[in-house]
Amino acid sequence: MRDARVKPADGPWVQPPTALQTTLPVLGMTCASCAGRIERGLRSVPGVAEATVNLASEMATVRFDPGAVRVADLVHAVEEIGYEVPATQTRLTIQGIIDASCVDRLEKQLRTVPGVTEANVHWATGTAVIKHPVGILAPSALVQAVEDAGYGAQVRTEDQPADGIEDARRREVRQWRDRLTLSGILSLPLLGAMVAEFWVPQSADAHLLMNGWLQLVLATPVQFVAGFTFYRDSYFNLRARTANMSVLVALGTTAAYLYSLAGVIWGRRIGITATYFETSALVITLVLLGKYLEAVAKGRTSDAIRKLVGLGAKTARVIRHGQPTDIPLQEVRVGDLVMVRPGEKVPVDGEVIDGHSAVDESMLTGESVAVEKGPGDTVVGATLNKTGSFVFSATRVGQDTTLAQIVRAVEQAQGSKAPIQRIADVISRSFVPAVIGVAAVTFFAWYVGTGDFRVALLSMTAVLVVACPCALGLATPTAIMVGTGKGAEFGILFRGGEHLETVGRIGAVLLDKTGTITRGEPTVTDVMAVDEVTPATVLSLAAAAESRSEHPLAQAIVAEARAENLTLLGVDRFEAIPGHGVRAEVGGHLVRVGNTRWMEQEGLVFTAVRDATSHWESEGKTAMLVVVDGRTIGTVAVSDTVKPESATVIATLQGMGMDVWMITGDNCRSAEAIARQVGIAPERVFAEVLPEEKAAKVREVQATGKRVAMVGDGMNDAPALATADIGMALGTGADVAIESADVTLMRSDLRGIVAAIDLSQATLRKIHQNLFWALLYNSIGIPIAAFGHLSPIIAGAAMAMSSVSVTTNSTLLKRYDAMWRFRRGPAAVAIADR
């Protein structure tokens, strides 16, 4: 290894005083030249002193100056060369977050930990998600970084994902309640003194309560015991050269307390004739009340996670050694035989091997009608068995079950940041220092203008207290939490807050035809043979050639042949031509089954069946030509029926001002026939589009200047889903890849698209309302306080209530209702009752 030092242009080798060393796993290397390329790429990064890559261990060891380069820059450099640095995430539960500036400070602190490439802290959920390369960072280092910043942290485990955060939230509520109780009990006599002085100033009780030494005894525990959390948080903020709500509260209340303390000790000798212990104590009490109510309200915003986790079974009845035994859910293993009786929940995902029953899958799909299950059918954990008993083989357990994936998807969405939140983050970052400046100007202006230190002090305190930016920091995340949680109740899974925001702003929707607009269950409707060939022969040969294909059209042809008890010859060679058809060797003959466009490209003649295929295609059917050894022997028509809600939902989307397009690999006639049935204009139909061409069509629509949502099955349409501004995977239950799209609709129902858009727009309205009121509150409150028209006590109450009001406004999203009902008029479905 070369000497790990930096050589300045005009001096000897010197060791960077703060050099750090990290090891990155690197995938994709095939030879020594790969290792050399990576080494050269890493050494070219400014701030890197040395880089060594080991091909055998697939590890890169890098020594670098943390002041000049971050680990994220090293990872980016490796990826730019064309190799992969596998990453993972560590989730922490954070205790002690006070406001948005705490979030900003924690994120900065976590990003300084060697190995961290990205860190996001979510105030409303009390969680941190830290991204880092696999195997190079111990979670304890992250916990230590959080503790060094003055907060508590606990590593989240995947076994019970909601327990850690719920325990932390209950602990947080309890801590705020205990502080509030102590502060409230001791502040009540001080409040009584203030009232007594105003109403009955000559009474004995008033004289007793106004005694300065008694007030000092009462106010001191409030200031330094109940209010210690503000001092502690202020210390860590100021140490990090930042300021937050705690700094404002500590400054304002300490000034009032120290002024009153001086009055008690020296009194008239220094010209102080009044004390303000009740001001400092009541401000702290009111702020604590606000934080307590805020913590309770934040707990209500995450009800969705608790409900989802509560859906799961606690035990499973597993057949072992021939006997059914009840065991904890965590002990179920893949391959176990599990028995489910009437009225019980299915514990894990699996496949039925014996018995029949009807299963209520409404928790998964929202569909209230129970689904019949028998041998070979799949069942999903947390669904409810209604009638019979059955035994199934466990296929997915623990964190692989559908319910666990849903919980994880909702947690990730709730812990992510929407782009609109950046507005609040930017404002909060500079807001507190600006408020301190305004408070200082207020103090000196009043003191110079009036010479009254008391008035200057109270006005300054009022500015400091009324301006706390808690409401601004809570405006976005609380609404995102409720919105994503509510979506999960309706089977709509948003992958992140940014996707929840973007969905409400899309201007165009591309709908895949098969399985989206149509049922995706095509059936054979017509078979035509030419010359001496019989229809049975055409169908038999077509089914034999298609027997190895997984395409829905192929499966329909095979199912029809089997239904007619036709014998299928063996297939020696098989080739699927995406977007066209199949080519196979059947009984020694070359058989092609495919669309007319492919046959034309192949130079084949099908004049005898052209009229029939044209007629079928005009009816919306798909015609598949059957060609044996270059000779067209017939054609098969396959039809896929339109879903009953398709036309209504498309009309609704159009009524919302959106452009609706259909994209399909079918021929133009069939595609336009389906488009006519559902109300899509012919000029907005993309037909005969190959799977790899769909992404280009998405970009074509994006070129019109509108945000585009692509709706497909989440697998065949993966490139198009990734290219679109929003990819919506439409599917059912265990068949859908929950993490494959920006939005997953658990039901194969187009109405979910409208519901997702409507819920997104409702959430955005709540965010805008929250931001408006938070900014309006500060815009009005600060000037009123600066001009001396606001008591510090009233300012404390107003500040506390502002945070509670924003959080409560977000929880009103829980009233959002996705019940389907039809409006009068052409555009159709009413999804929200707000």
Side-chain angles (χ1 to χ4, degrees), residues 510-675:
L510 266 73
L511 302 172
D512 181 52
K513 181 180 78 70
T514 304
T516 303
I517 293 177
T518 63
R519 293 182 184 275
E521 300 173 357
T523 57
V524 173
T525 58
D526 304 272
V527 179
M528 178 184 177
V530 297
D531 300 332
E532 71 281 3
V533 181
T534 64
T537 301
V538 172
L539 182 60
S540 175
L541 288 171
E546 296 278 19
S547 61
R548 294 188 182 180
S549 174
E550 296 181 354
H551 195 281
L553 299 180
Q555 294 175 356
I557 293 173
V558 173
E560 181 66 17
R562 288 174 176 166
E564 295 187 13
N565 296 317
L566 299 178
T567 301
L568 304 186
L569 298 176
V571 177
D572 293 329
R573 288 184 297 172
F574 171 84
E575 181 184 6
I577 315 299
H580 293 301
V582 299
R583 181 189 291 119
E585 187 175 313
V586 180
H589 298 278
L590 177 61
V591 178
R592 294 184 182 92
V593 182
N595 55 38
T596 57
R597 183 175 60 156
W598 183 37
M599 300 307 174
E600 288 173 344
Q601 293 175 355
E602 294 282 292
L604 299 172
V605 178
F606 51 93
T607 306
V609 298
R610 189 181 295 276
D611 290 343
T613 57
S614 297
H615 176 67
W616 291 340
E617 289 171 356
S618 68
E619 294 179 338
K621 300 176 182 178
T622 299
M624 308 290 288
L625 300 182
V626 183
V627 179
V628 180
D629 295 330
R631 173 185 166 221
T632 302
I633 65 169
T635 181
V636 178
V638 180
S639 178
D640 188 5
T641 56
V642 172
K643 292 179 181 178
E645 76 276 6
S646 293
T648 298
V649 170
I650 288 169
T652 302
L653 291 171
Q654 292 168 340
M656 296 167 70
M658 297 183 192
D659 296 338
V660 181
W661 302 69
M662 184 176 79
I663 187 167
T664 178
D666 281 357
N667 60 79
C668 291
R669 288 195 187 92
S670 297
E672 289 177 2
I674 295 295

Side-chain angles (χ1 to χ4, degrees), residues 693-767:
E693 296 174 345
K694 289 185 177 181
K697 295 300 181 183
V698 171
R699 287 190 288 270
E700 186 176 322
V701 179
Q702 287 174 325
T704 64
K706 294 190 175 182
R707 291 186 176 92
V708 177
M710 171 69 196
V711 185
D713 61 13
M715 295 179 183
N716 297 332
D717 301 312
L721 289 169
T723 303
D725 297 281
I726 287 292
M728 289 191 181
L730 189 70
T732 55
D735 296 330
V736 75
I738 291 174
E739 297 181 4
S740 68
D742 303 323
V743 180
T744 299
L745 307 177
M746 301 300 291
R747 296 178 63 185
S748 288
D749 190 326
L750 282 180
R751 289 177 293 186
I753 302 171
V754 183
I757 295 171
D758 193 69
L759 177 58
S760 172
Q761 292 175 345
T763 304
L764 282 173
R765 281 194 293 272
K766 286 297 179 189
I767 292 173

Side-chain angles (χ1 to χ4, degrees), residues 179-257:
R179 294 169 187 143
L180 174 62
T181 301
L182 172 64
S183 182
I185 291 173
L186 295 176
S187 296
L188 277 176
L190 297 173
L191 176 63
M194 185 175 65
V195 173
E197 182 185 20
F198 180 77
W199 290 106
V200 282
Q202 301 304 317
S203 68
D205 291 337
H207 282 296
L208 175 63
L209 292 174
M210 290 300 296
N211 182 277
W213 291 102
L214 175 61
Q215 290 193 352
L216 175 62
V217 170
L218 293 172
T220 299
V222 175
Q223 189 72 36
F224 299 109
V225 180
F228 176 74
T229 183
F230 302 123
Y231 286 103
R232 181 179 184 276
D233 192 52
S234 296
Y235 165 74
F236 285 105
N237 270 275
L238 294 174
R239 191 179 71 174
R241 294 190 178 93
T242 62
N244 69 341
M245 181 211 79
S246 295
V247 174
L248 298 181
V249 172
L251 279 175
T253 59
T254 302
Y257 176 85

